[in-house]
Amino acid sequence: MTQLDTPARSLIMERDFPHPPEKVWRALTESSLIEQWLLENDFQPIVGRSFSLRREPMANWNGVIDCRVLAVEPCRSVSYTWNASGSEWVVTWVLTPTAAGTHLRMEQSGFHPDQEQNYKGAKYGWQKFIGSLERVVAGL
Amino acid sequence: MPSAADSLFKALADPTRRAIFERLTRNGEQTVHALTACAGVSQPMVSKHLGALRRARLVRHRHQGRETHYQVRPEALAPLVDWVSHYADFWQNKFDRLEEVLERLEDTHQRSDK
C-alpha cells in the first residue's frame, strides 16, 4: 500500500493575561519562574543552548524532556525543541500586546506521521498515526 | 496482562496494519481479497494483520459465503484520542499555574517599588 500522506498536527493553546508582555516574558524565560509553573529546568534564553525539563518519572519513561532553544525574540517569542519518549516536537510561545495586557499563544507542533527515523523502535510507531487521527475521528 | 491501550498502540505501530486500517476507514467494509489486492503482501500476511487488528478490537468481521468481510470499529480509537487530550490537559494545567505565578510576580514587583 502507499505511504500515508497526512499533514502535521499541532496543539494550540491561547490565553489572555492582564499583565504586560515584559512580565509574561520573565515567567516564560527565567529558569526559577519556569519551575514554578512548568517544570524543573536549566533553561537559558540563548539560541542553540540545550536544556532539560524534568517531569515525575512514569512507567517506561524517566520523565526527562530534552530541549534545545531554536529562537528567542525578547518579549515577543521563544521556541524550543521538545524531545520526550522518542518523539520530537517544537514548542513555540508568541506574546502579543493587547489593551488589557498580553495575548499568549502556545503551539506544540510535530504530531506528524512521517518522521519514522526519529522513533526508537516500533513501541512508539503508533504515534505517527496521530496525524490521521483527526480525519478518522471526524468520520465517527 | 496488556491493557486495551497497549494492544491498540501495538496494532497501529505496524505501517502495513495502519494502511489496512486506514483503507477500511476510507472505503468502508472490504473483503480480505479486496484488501490483499492493494496491500502489496500475500493473503496470509493480510489475514495475520487483520487478526492483530481484530485482537485490538479495531475491526470486526463477518463471513458471507466463502468471503470474510471486515469493517472498522472507530470507537476503539478512544485511547489515542486520550493521548492527544493528555497533552491538552497538561498545557491547560500549566497555563493555570502560569497565571498564578504572574499574579504573585505583580505583588513582588509592587512591594519592591515602595
Side-chain angles (χ1 to χ4, degrees):
Chain A
M1 285 190 195
T2 53
Q3 189 67 32
L4 301 178
D5 181 24
T6 43
R9 189 173 186 283
S10 291
L11 178 62
I12 293 167
M13 292 233 167
E14 296 177 279
R15 196 177 290 192
D16 287 294
F17 294 99
H19 306 285
E22 292 74 17
K23 204 169 99 173
V24 177
W25 179 255
R26 283 188 61 200
L28 290 176
T29 57
E30 285 181 24
S31 180
S32 61
L33 293 176
I34 295 169
E35 181 173 349
Q36 288 177 40
W37 64 271
L38 183 59
L39 294 164
E40 193 187 319
N41 69 95
D42 56 349
F43 175 85
Q44 283 186 284
I46 299 169
V47 175
R49 184 67 65 99
S50 294
F51 65 101
S52 59
L53 296 160
R54 287 170 191 279
R55 299 188 68 171
E56 64 285 4
M58 301 171 185
N60 306 320
W61 184 41
N62 62 6
V64 178
I65 302 162
D66 293 308
C67 307
R68 189 167 45 84
V69 181
L70 295 175
V72 178
E73 204 181 334
C75 293
R76 299 186 67 90
S77 70
V78 57
S79 71
Y80 37 81
T81 61
W82 181 285
N83 288 280
S85 320
S87 300
E88 178 170 293
W89 290 272
V90 172
V91 172
T92 303
W93 300 90
V94 177
L95 295 72
T96 310
T98 61
T102 306
H103 178 80
L104 181 64
R105 179 184 197 272
M106 189 286 306
E107 177 171 357
Q108 181 179 10
S109 59
F111 288 92
H112 56 91
D114 55 353
Q115 22 167 232
E116 192 148 25
Q117 69 282 9
N118 290 345
Y119 293 100
K120 293 167 184 159
K123 186 178 165 197
Y124 296 103
W126 57 269
Q127 291 178 347
K128 291 177 285 171
F129 187 74
I130 215 74
S132 53
L133 177 62
E134 207 158 53
R135 193 181 65 225
V136 173
V137 173
L140 291 184
Chain B
M1 178 75 184
S3 70
D6 287 342
S7 56
L8 168 67
F9 297 151
K10 207 175 152 196
L12 293 175
D14 183 281
T16 307
R17 278 201 290 277
R18 274 203 305 283
I20 291 172
F21 182 77
E22 288 234 329
R23 186 167 185 84
L24 286 170
T25 303
R26 275 197 303 272
N27 301 355
E29 191 180 69
Q30 306 259 298
T31 64
V32 177
H33 278 118
L35 288 168
T36 303
C38 49
V41 293
S42 66
Q43 191 185 315
M45 281 307 290
V46 169
S47 293
K48 196 171 156 236
H49 285 310
L50 285 167
L53 290 171
R54 215 167 54 218
R55 282 190 295 280
R57 300 178 57 76
L58 279 161
V59 296
R60 64 165 63 89
H61 69 297
R62 66 183 179 86
H63 298 289
Q64 190 178 45
R66 296 167 62 181
E67 291 276 21
T68 308
H69 297 251
Y70 278 86
Q71 65 182 75
V72 292
R73 291 182 69 251
E75 62 271 25
L77 284 173
L80 267 177
V81 180
D82 290 347
W83 183 71
V84 178
S85 64
H86 159 78
Y87 259 108
D89 289 348
F90 171 81
W91 287 117
Q92 197 70 49
N93 172 266
K94 296 307 181 190
F95 268 63
D96 290 345
R97 287 175 62 179
L98 173 61
E99 204 160 75
E100 291 164 19
V101 168
L102 289 168
E103 289 301 327
R104 284 204 300 273
L105 258 188
E106 192 153 66
D107 293 340
T108 313
H109 185 63
Q110 280 167 353
R111 270 201 302 276
S112 63
D113 273 354
K114 283 173 190 167

